[in-house]
C-alpha cells in the first residue's frame, strides 16, 4: 500500500505529461496561437446548413481518403463537415492529417510511386508544377465549369485563374484565399492620429514609436512590430513581401523572383535585395526578444493579446481577434510599398515614376504578395473513377458558397475569403464576432490587394519548395542571425537558386515561370 | 520414424527456423542500406507514372564537402587563431609521441601500426577542421561540428548527472522510491513532446518562465538567438530527456554491487570519496562504458530537439547532421539527404570503433 502511495502520484504525473500532445508544425496562414483563439464558439458555426433528413445514396459505400495539414486548422473544417456530406451522399471521408513539412513529400511520393493511398490532396497550390507535369492530378476543367453546387464564377478571378489553374487547365478547387497584409492597432493609431503605414519606412517609424510602451494596459512594455522569423517556419515569406515592392514595378507579369528573359534570380546581388534585407532586419529591433525563434503561432498570440502595435500576416488575424483583447482594436492595410524600384539592367534602385512604377499610388509602389495562395483540393489522377467522383463532390461541397461562406469567418478553420460572395455579404462576419467597421476594414484590405495590378504571384514552378523552403529560408536565417551579411545572403540565394534551376533545366524552368505569370485578370 | 528424427535434428531446425529469420532480417536491413547507397549517387526525377533515379556520381557528396553545402556541412573554415595553432601543435606532437611509442615497444604489428598512423592523420585533420571553425576570425562550425558538440557535451552532462542521481537514489533516504520514479518521468515523454516543452520554457516573451525572467531583469534577453546559448538550450533539453536512462542503468549497477566491501572500506576508515573512487566506480565502469557507447550512437542522430526548439537556428547554429538530411528529404532532394546520412554513418562507425577499441577495452581492463 505504501508503495502504491509512492508510485501513484508519480504515475499520474507521467500520464499527464505523456498525454500532452504537441502543437502542430509551423504552417502558413493556418496556425493560430492558442492564446489567440476565440474564447467562445462564434455563433456563425451554428448557422451551418442543416443536413437533417434522409441519407442520400449518390456515393453509397464509397470511401475516399484525403491527405492534408494537421493544423489543427485546415483539417478541422474537412473533418467537421465530412459527416454532413456523408449524410447527404452516403459516401465516407477519411481525412489523413500530417505536419506541414511532410505534406509535399508524402503526396508526391504517394502519386509518383503508384502507391495512390490518397484520392485527393488538400495542399499548397504552389506545388502544382511538381504534380501536373508528370500527370499526377486530375484535370477538372470541365467539371468545375458545369458544377452548379460549386458556383465556379463566384470564386475570385485570381484564385480561379492562378491558384486553381496550371497551363490553362484547372486542377484544384480553392478552399482558402491567402494574401499578406499588415495589421495594426487601430485604437492606438487613431488615438495618436497616426496613419497606417504606406511604406516600409512608415512601418519602421510606427513600430519605433510604440516599441517599449505598454500597449495593453498590463503595466509591461510591449513591442512595436511582431513578425514570425523562425527558421523552418514562415520567415522566408515575409522577406518576399518586403522585397516585392522594390523588385516588381510593372505589373504582375513582370515577376518578382526571376528575370523573365534568362531565369537569373532577382533575389540575388542587387540594391533592391540589399535594401529589403536591411529593412527586414531593422524590424527585429522593435520586436520581441525571441522574434527570430517565433512562428506565426507566437506572433498571433502576441498581437491578439495586445502586445504588438504592428504585425504581418495572412488573413487569419482578422478572424482570430473576436473574443480577444484585439477585438475591435485591429485594422488591416495593404502591405506597405516603396518609392524606389529595381532597374533590372543595372541592379540599382531608381525612383518610382510613371515609367518605372506605372501603378504606383501617390508615388508608392505597392506589390501585395499573394503568398502561398490558399489551401486547395486536388484529385489524384490515378484514383478509381468512383473515388474521383466522390472526392470531387466533397471538395465542391466544401467550397460551395453556403459552406465556405461560414468557414472563412472562423479563425479555427485557417481559411480566408476567396469568393466574391465572401466579400459582398457582411452578415456572416458580423455573426462571427467582428463589428461592421472591422469587417469592412478587413475585407477592404484584402480587396485592395486583390485588385492591385502589381500583385506579386507566389512562385509555382517545379522544385518551388527547394527554392523557397530550403535555399531562401536558410540564407535568410543565416542573415538574420548574423552568419551572413547582405552580400553573402544574396550570393547564397542566387547560387542556390541557380543550382536548382540548372539541375531541372534552365529552359524548362524559364518556360514554367513565364507561363505561371501569364495569368489574365 | 527416421524421417521424423531427421526433421527433429539441429540441422533441420537451423534450416527451418534460423536461416529464414536471418535472411528476413538481412533483407530488411540490407535492402534499405543498398538502396540508400544508390540514392546517394542519384538525383530524383519525376515523370508520368513513375520516378527516375538519375545517376550523378559523387555529386551529392561533392556538394557537401567542397560545393555549395560545404559551409552548412563543415562550416566556414578560416586560418586559426593563436589558440587554434597551439591546439593543433599539441595534437600533432601527442599523436607523434603515441605512434613512436607504439613503434618502439614493438607489441603492435605492421598492420596495427599502419592503422594507428591513419588514425593519427585523421585525428589531426579533424582537429585542423575544428580549430579553423572555432578559433578563427569569422569561422563558424557546420552541422558536423555542431553534432559533435551536442554528442560529447551532452553525454558528459548526462553521465555526470545520471551517476550523481544514481548514487543519491541508492542511499537509504526517506521517499527514495518516489524520487526514483520521478527521475524517470522524462524518459517516458516522446522527444517531440520534450522539444515542445522546452520551446515553451525558453520563450521569454510569453512562456511560463517569463515572470522569472522579468524578475531577474532579463526582460529583453533571450538565449535562443545567440548561437552558443541556443546550442546550450538544445543540450539542456537533451540532457533532461536522456539523464534518466543513464540514471536507471547506473542505479541497477550500483544496487547490484556487494555492499559489504563498500561498508568494510568505510569501517576501515576510507572516506566516501575514496570508497567511490576505488570501489564503486571501477565496479560500474564496464556498465558505464556501455551506456556511453549507446548514447554515443544514439546522440549522433539528434534531430527532434534542435528542430522543434529552434528549427536548426539561429541561422544554422543548431543544425545537426540528421536535421540537415531531414531538410533535404522534405524538399525531396533525396540524393543529398542520403549522402548526408551516409557521411553520418561513416562518422558514427569510426567514432564507435575507436571508442570500442581504445576507451571501452581499456576501461574494462582497468575495472
Amino acid at each position: 500500500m505504501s508503495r502504491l502511495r509512492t508510485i501513484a502520484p508519480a504515475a499520474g504525473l507521467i500520464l499527464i505529461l505523456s498525454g500532452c500532445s504537441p502543437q502542430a508544425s509551423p504552417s502558413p496562414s493556418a496556425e493560430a496561437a492558442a492564446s489567440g483563439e476565440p474564447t467562445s464558439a462564434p455563433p456563425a458555426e451554428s448557422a451551418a446548413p442543416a443536413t437533417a433528413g434522409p441519407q442520400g445514396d449518390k456515393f453509397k459505400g464509397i470511401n475516399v481518403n484525403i491527405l492534408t495539414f494537421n493544423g489543427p486548422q485546415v483539417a478541422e473544417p474537412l473533418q467537421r463537415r465530412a459527416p454532413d456530406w456523408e449524410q447527404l451522399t452516403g459516401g465516407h471521408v477519411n481525412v489523413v492529417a500530417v505536419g506541414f513539412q511532410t505534406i509535399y513529400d508524402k503526396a508526391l511520393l504517394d502519386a509518383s510511386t503508384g502507391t495512390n493511398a490518397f484520392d485527393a490532396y488538400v495542399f499548397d497550390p504552389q506545388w502544382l508544377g511538381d504534380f501536373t507535369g508528370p500527370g499526377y492530378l486530375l484535370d477538372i476543367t470541365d467539371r468545375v465549369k458545369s458544377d452548379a453546387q460549386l458556383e465556379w464564377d463566384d470564386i475570385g478571378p485570381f484564385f480561379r485563374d492562378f491558384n486553381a489553374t496550371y497551363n490553362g487547365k484547372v486542377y484544384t478547387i480553392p478552399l482558402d484565399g491567402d494574401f499578406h497584409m499588415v495589421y495594426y492597432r487601430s485604437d492606438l493609431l487613431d488615438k495618436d492620429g497616426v496613419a497606417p503605414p504606406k511604406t516600409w519606412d512608415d512601418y519602421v517609424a510606427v513600430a519605433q514609436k510604440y516599441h517599449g510602451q505598454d500597449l495593453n494596459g498590463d503595466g509591461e512594455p510591449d513591442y512595436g512590430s511582431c513578425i514570425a522569423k523562425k527558421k523552418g517556419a514562415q520567415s522566408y515569406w515575409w522577406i518576399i513581401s518586403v522585397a516585392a515592392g522594390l523588385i516588381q514595378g510593372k505589373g504582375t507579369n513582370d515577376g518578382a523572383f526571376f528575370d523573365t528573359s534568362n531565369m537569373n534570380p532577382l533575389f540575388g546581388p542587387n540594391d533592391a535585395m540589399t535594401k529589403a534585407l536591411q529593412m527586414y532586419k531593422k524590424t527585429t529591433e522593435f520586436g520581441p526578444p525571441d522574434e527570430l525563434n517565433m512562428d506565426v503561432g507566437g506572433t498571433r498570440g502576441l498581437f491578439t493579446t495586445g502586445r504588438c502595435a504592428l504585425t504581418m500576416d495572412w488573413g487569419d488575424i482578422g478572424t482570430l481577434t473576436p473574443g480577444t483583447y484585439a477585438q475591435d482594436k485591429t485594422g488591416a492595410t495593404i502591405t506597405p510599398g516603396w518609392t524606389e524600384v529595381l532597374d533590372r539592367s543595372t541592379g540599382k534602385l531608381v525612383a518610382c515614376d510613371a515609367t518605372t512604377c506605372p501603378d504606383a499610388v501617390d508615388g508608392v509602389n505597392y506589390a501585395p504578395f499573394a503568398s502561398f495562395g490558399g489551401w486547395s483540393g486536388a484529385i489524384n489522377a490515378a484514383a478509381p473513377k468512383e473515388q474521383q467522383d466522390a472526392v470531387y463532390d466533397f471538395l465542391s461541397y466544401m467550397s460551395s458558397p453556403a459552406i465556405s461562406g461560414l468557414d472563412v469567418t472562423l479563425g479555427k478553420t485557417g481559411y480566408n475569403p476567396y469568393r466574391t460572395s465572401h466579400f459582398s455579404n457582411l452578415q456572416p462576419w458580423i455573426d462571427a464576432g467582428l463589428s461592421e467597421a472591422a469587417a469592412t476594414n478587413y475585407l477592404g484590405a484584402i480587396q485592395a490587394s486583390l485588385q492591385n495590378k502589381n500583385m506579386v504571384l507566389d512562385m509555382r514552378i517545379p522544385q518551388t519548395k527547394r527554392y523557397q523552403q530550403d535555399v531562401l529560408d536558410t540564407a535568410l536565417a543565416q542573415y538574420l542571425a548574423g552568419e551572413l551579411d547582405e552580400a553573402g545572403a544574396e550570393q547564397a540565394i542566387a547560387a542556390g537558386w541557380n543550382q536548382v534551376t540548372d539541375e531541372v533545366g534552365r529552359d524548362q524552368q524559364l518556360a514554367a515561370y513565364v507561363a505561371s505569370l501569364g495569368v489574365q485578370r | 520414424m527416421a524421417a521424423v528424427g531427421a526433421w527433429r535434428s539441429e540441422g533441420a531446425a537451423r534450416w527451418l527456423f534460423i536461416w529464414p529469420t536471418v535472411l528476413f532480417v538481412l533483407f530488411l536491413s540490407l535492402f534499405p542500406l543498398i538502396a540508400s547507397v544508390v540514392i546517394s549517387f542519384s538525383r530524383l526525377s519525376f515523370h508520368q507514372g513513375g520516378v527516375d533515379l538519375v545517376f550523378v556520381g559523387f555529386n551529392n557528396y561533392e556538394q557537401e564537402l567542397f560545393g555549395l553545402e560545404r559551409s552548412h556541412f563543415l562550416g566556414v573554415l578560416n586560418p586559426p587563431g593563436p589558440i587554434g595553432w597551439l591546439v593543433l601543435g599539441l595534437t600533432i606532437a601527442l599523436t607523434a609521441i603515441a605512434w613512436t611509442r607504439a613503434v618502439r615497444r614493438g607489441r603492435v604489428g605492421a598492420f596495427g601500426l599502419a592503422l594507428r598512423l591513419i588514425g593519427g592523420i585523421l585525428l589531426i585533420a579533424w582537429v585542423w577542421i575544428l580549430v579553423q571553425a572555432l578559433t578563427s576570425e569569422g569561422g563558424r562550425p557546420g552541422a558536423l561540428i555542431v553534432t559533435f558538440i551536442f554528442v560529447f557535451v551532452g553525454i558528459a552532462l548526462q553521465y555526470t548527472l545520471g551517476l550523481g542521481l544514481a548514487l543519491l537514489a541508492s542511499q537509504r533516504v526517506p521517499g527514495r522510491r518516489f524520487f526514483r520514479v520521478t527521475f524517470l518521468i522524462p524518459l517516458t515523454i516522446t522527444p517531440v513532446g520534450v522539444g515542445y516543452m522546452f520551446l515553451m520554457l525558453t520563450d521569454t516573451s510569453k512562456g511560463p518562465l517569463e515572470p522569472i525572467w522579468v524578475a531577474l531583469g532579463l526582460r529583453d534577453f533571450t538565449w535562443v538567438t545567440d548561437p552558443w546559448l541556443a546550442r546550450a538550450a538544445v543540450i539542456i533539453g537533451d540532457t533532461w530527456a536522456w539523464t534518466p536512462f543513464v540514471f536507471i542503468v547506473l542505479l541497477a549497477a550500483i544496487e547490484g554491487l556487494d555492499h559489504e566491501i563498500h561498508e568494510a572500506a568505510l569501517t576501515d576508515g576510507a572516506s566516501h570519496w575514496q570508497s567511490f573512487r576505488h570501489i564503486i566506480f571501477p565496479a560500474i565502469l564496464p556498465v558505464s562504458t556501455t551506456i556511453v557507447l549507446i548514447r554515443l550512437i544514439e546522440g549522433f542522430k539528434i534531430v527532434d530537439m534542435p528542430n522543434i526548439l529552434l528549427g536548426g537556428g539561429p541561422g544554422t547554429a543548431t543544425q545537426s547532421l540528421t536535421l540537415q538530411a531531414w531538410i533535404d528529404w522534405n524538399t525531396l532532394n533525396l540524393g543529398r539527404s542520403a549522402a548526408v546520412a551516409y557521411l553520418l554513418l561513416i562518422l558514427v562507425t569510426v567514432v564507435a570503433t575507436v571508442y570500442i577499441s581504445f576507451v571501452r577495452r581499456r576501461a574494462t581492463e582497468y575495472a
Side-chain angles (χ1 to χ4, degrees):
Chain A
M1 194 60 194
S2 64
R3 179 173 296 182
L4 187 65
R5 277 201 302 273
T6 310
I7 293 172
L13 196 55
I14 291 170
L15 284 172
I16 291 165
L17 288 173
S18 303
C20 290
S21 60
Q23 289 295 303
S25 301
S27 74
S29 122
E31 186 173 337
S35 53
E37 291 280 5
T39 51
S40 60
E45 191 181 359
S46 59
T51 53
Q55 181 169 341
D57 59 0
K58 189 176 172 188
F59 298 111
K60 192 172 182 182
I62 296 176
N63 293 313
V64 293
N65 296 317
I66 299 176
L67 177 72
T68 191
F69 169 50
N70 64 5
Q73 301 85 353
V74 182
E76 186 278 334
L78 298 171
Q79 289 163 333
R80 177 166 46 83
R81 300 287 191 187
D84 296 343
W85 179 81
E86 289 166 6
Q87 179 70 24
L88 289 169
T89 65
H92 178 71
V93 176
N94 179 32
V95 178
V96 179
V98 299
F100 179 70
Q101 294 285 4
T102 57
I103 303 172
Y104 171 80
D105 54 88
K106 204 171 263 296
L108 198 49
L109 289 176
D110 176 69
S112 62
T113 58
T115 308
N116 299 315
F118 303 104
D119 303 303
Y121 315 102
V122 173
F123 62 8
D124 179 353
Q126 282 187 269
W127 303 332
L128 279 182
D130 288 316
F131 283 81
T132 56
Y136 298 149
L137 300 181
L138 186 69
D139 176 359
I140 54 173
T141 311
D142 296 333
R143 290 187 190 224
V144 297
K145 288 176 181 168
S146 58
D147 184 350
Q149 173 180 249
L150 182 62
E151 292 191 37
W152 185 245
D153 289 341
D154 182 46
I155 294 175
F158 165 71
F159 299 106
R160 272 199 325 249
D161 301 337
F162 178 68
N163 269 13
T165 305
Y166 203 84
N167 282 339
K169 293 177 182 172
V170 178
Y171 289 100
T172 70
I173 295 178
L175 300 172
D176 173 32
D178 277 330
F179 266 96
H180 276 180
M181 291 184 291
V182 161
Y183 293 89
Y184 57 91
R185 282 284 300 282
S186 55
D187 57 329
L188 301 174
L189 270 64
D190 289 349
K191 179 170 67 73
D192 297 331
V194 176
K198 290 181 179 174
T199 66
W200 280 102
D201 290 321
D202 293 343
Y203 183 96
V204 166
V206 175
Q208 191 166 17
K209 176 179 172 59
Y210 290 105
H211 187 64
Q213 293 187 26
D214 177 15
L215 305 179
N216 58 359
D218 65 357
E220 291 185 9
D222 296 308
Y223 315 115
S225 162
C226 298
I227 299 177
K229 291 176 180 159
K230 184 175 182 178
K231 181 174 179 282
Q234 298 84 13
S235 182
Y236 67 91
W237 267 306
W238 316 125
I239 186 63
I240 297 171
S241 265
V242 177
L246 284 168
I247 293 176
Q248 180 178 292
K250 295 179 180 172
T252 299
N253 302 67
D254 212 17
F257 296 105
F258 300 98
D259 188 317
T260 50
S261 63
N262 54 19
M263 205 58 188
N264 281 342
L266 296 172
F267 274 53
N270 61 57
D271 286 359
M273 202 58 207
T274 304
K275 192 159 190 170
L277 286 169
Q278 288 169 343
M279 176 58 73
Y280 194 51
K281 197 174 216 175
K282 180 86 176 165
T283 62
T284 310
E285 294 174 20
F286 312 112
D290 50 357
E291 195 179 40
L292 294 193
N293 196 37
M294 202 171 270
D295 60 26
V296 287
T299 55
R300 287 173 187 173
L302 287 175
F303 188 84
T304 52
T305 52
R307 298 205 61 190
C308 310
L310 296 169
T311 190
M312 206 178 173
D313 211 306
W314 284 270
D316 301 68
I317 291 272
T319 53
L320 284 170
T321 54
T324 70
Y325 181 87
Q327 180 168 14
D328 296 332
K329 298 185 183 75
T330 301
T333 187
I334 189 170
T335 303
W338 294 90
T339 54
E340 294 176 298
V341 72
L342 177 70
D343 178 344
R344 296 183 180 186
S345 62
T346 63
K348 303 290 180 192
L349 288 171
V350 295
C352 264
D353 58 29
T355 309
T356 54
C357 313
D359 301 311
V361 180
D362 298 330
V364 177
N365 181 46
Y366 293 100
F369 177 37
S371 171
F372 188 76
W375 293 95
S376 306
I379 299 166
N380 187 342
K385 176 77 168 52
E386 294 81 7
Q387 267 73 13
Q388 287 180 346
D389 292 343
V391 82
Y392 171 84
D393 192 77
F394 177 66
L395 293 171
S396 164
Y397 169 81
M398 289 299 301
S399 183
S400 62
I403 300 297
S404 65
L406 297 177
D407 284 347
V408 295
T409 67
L410 307 177
K412 67 176 180 178
T413 64
Y415 292 170
N416 301 143
Y418 59 94
R419 283 178 173 274
T420 306
S421 56
H422 294 162
F423 294 93
S424 59
N425 184 9
L426 281 185
Q427 196 53 48
W429 299 96
I430 294 166
D431 291 343
L434 271 74
S435 67
E436 187 171 345
T440 305
N441 170 273
Y442 168 71
L443 294 172
I446 298 176
Q447 277 184 309
S449 303
L450 265 172
Q451 290 162 0
N452 192 294
K453 291 180 181 174
N454 196 36
M455 175 208 294
V456 170
L457 304 177
D458 211 340
M459 193 188 290
R460 210 174 52 152
I461 57 178
Q463 299 283 322
T464 283
K465 198 173 180 191
R466 261 181 83 186
Y467 284 108
Q468 292 190 339
Q469 282 177 253
D470 183 2
V471 178
L472 178 60
D473 188 44
T474 303
L476 184 63
Q478 289 187 279
Y479 170 69
L480 291 173
E483 289 181 7
L484 297 174
D485 58 11
E486 288 87 1
E490 290 159 18
Q491 188 57 43
I493 297 166
W497 281 16
N498 277 327
Q499 185 184 44
V500 180
T501 300
D502 291 334
E503 272 184 20
V504 183
R506 188 163 286 266
D507 293 340
Q508 181 191 329
Q509 292 295 79
L510 179 59
Y513 184 60
V514 171
S516 78
L517 299 174
V519 59
Q520 298 298 313
R521 294 188 298 116
Chain B
M1 281 302 285
V4 174
W7 275 107
R8 284 178 178 170
S9 70
E10 278 191 20
R14 190 183 305 144
W15 281 105
L16 268 176
F17 300 116
I18 299 176
W19 273 112
T21 310
V22 169
L23 289 174
F24 185 65
V25 171
L26 279 178
F27 176 77
L28 284 182
S29 54
L30 278 184
F31 173 73
L33 207 66
I34 294 166
S36 54
V37 171
V38 174
I39 289 171
S40 76
F41 291 108
S42 316
R43 191 175 66 238
L44 217 59
S45 169
F46 297 96
H47 63 83
Q48 183 97 34
V51 187
D52 277 341
L53 287 175
V54 182
F55 181 71
V56 295
F58 283 93
N59 183 266
N60 291 318
Y61 292 93
E62 187 268 337
Q63 278 184 43
E64 296 297 330
L65 298 172
F66 309 106
L68 276 180
E69 290 298 308
R70 177 190 159 98
S71 66
H72 299 152
F73 185 80
L74 288 177
V76 175
L77 309 180
N78 289 333
I83 295 174
W85 285 115
L86 184 67
V87 171
L88 183 70
L90 280 173
T91 307
I92 293 171
L94 291 173
T95 308
I97 290 167
W99 195 76
T100 311
R101 271 189 187 173
V103 173
R104 281 185 183 165
R105 282 180 183 170
R107 292 180 190 167
V108 185
F111 183 68
L113 286 174
L115 276 182
R116 279 168 169 73
L117 185 63
I118 293 168
I121 292 168
L122 284 175
L123 176 68
I124 292 166
W126 172 238
V127 173
W128 175 233
I129 291 171
L130 279 180
V131 296
Q132 286 184 96
L134 297 175
T135 71
S136 65
E137 180 83 26
R140 190 177 71 237
L144 182 67
I145 298 171
V146 167
T147 306
F148 257 85
I149 293 168
F150 287 157
V151 170
F152 286 98
V153 177
I155 290 176
L157 284 172
Q158 289 155 28
Y159 182 77
T160 308
L161 287 172
L163 178 59
L165 290 174
L167 287 170
L168 284 174
S170 65
Q171 307 298 310
R172 290 192 179 85
V173 290
R176 65 177 185 151
R177 282 186 183 142
F178 173 78
F179 288 118
R180 285 181 187 188
V181 176
T182 307
F183 291 153
L184 280 179
I185 287 174
L187 202 59
T188 65
I189 304 173
T190 63
V192 174
V194 177
Y196 276 101
M197 191 173 74
F198 274 82
L199 181 64
M200 286 189 281
L201 293 176
T202 54
D203 185 339
T204 53
S205 60
K206 55 183 167 37
L209 298 184
E210 191 229 357
I212 298 173
W213 287 104
V214 173
L216 292 172
L218 299 171
R219 183 189 299 278
D220 293 324
F221 173 79
T222 176
W223 59 340
V224 290
T225 53
D226 175 87
W228 285 105
L229 291 177
R231 288 172 194 135
V234 171
I235 290 169
I236 290 169
D238 196 51
T239 300
W240 187 85
W242 280 103
T243 298
F245 168 71
V246 179
F247 159 75
I248 193 69
V249 178
L250 288 181
L251 180 65
I254 291 169
E255 298 214 318
L257 297 178
D258 185 352
H259 285 276
E260 286 183 5
I261 302 171
H262 169 61
E263 283 163 9
L266 292 177
T267 307
D268 289 344
S271 66
H272 283 284
W273 165 248
Q274 286 172 322
S275 169
F276 168 76
R277 169 75 181 78
H278 297 289
I279 297 173
I280 297 176
F281 187 69
I284 62 170
L285 204 50
V287 175
S288 297
T289 53
T290 305
I291 295 171
V292 171
L293 178 64
I294 293 169
R295 283 297 302 129
L296 204 65
I297 295 168
E298 180 67 28
F300 274 107
K301 295 184 282 186
I302 185 169
V303 66
D304 309 271
M305 189 64 67
N307 184 34
I308 290 161
L309 191 56
L310 297 145
T316 52
T318 57
Q319 192 158 299
S320 65
L321 285 172
T322 311
L323 181 54
Q324 192 175 339
W326 186 77
I327 291 169
D328 285 333
W329 174 272
N330 267 327
T331 52
L332 284 187
N333 195 347
L334 299 193
R336 214 164 70 187
S337 180
V340 174
Y342 259 89
L343 289 169
L344 176 63
L345 177 70
I346 292 166
L347 177 74
V348 173
T349 306
V350 169
V351 172
T353 306
V354 168
Y355 177 81
I356 291 167
S357 302
F358 292 93
V359 182
R360 187 154 184 261
R361 199 183 63 202
R362 289 181 189 187
T364 310
E365 285 168 1
Y366 172 74

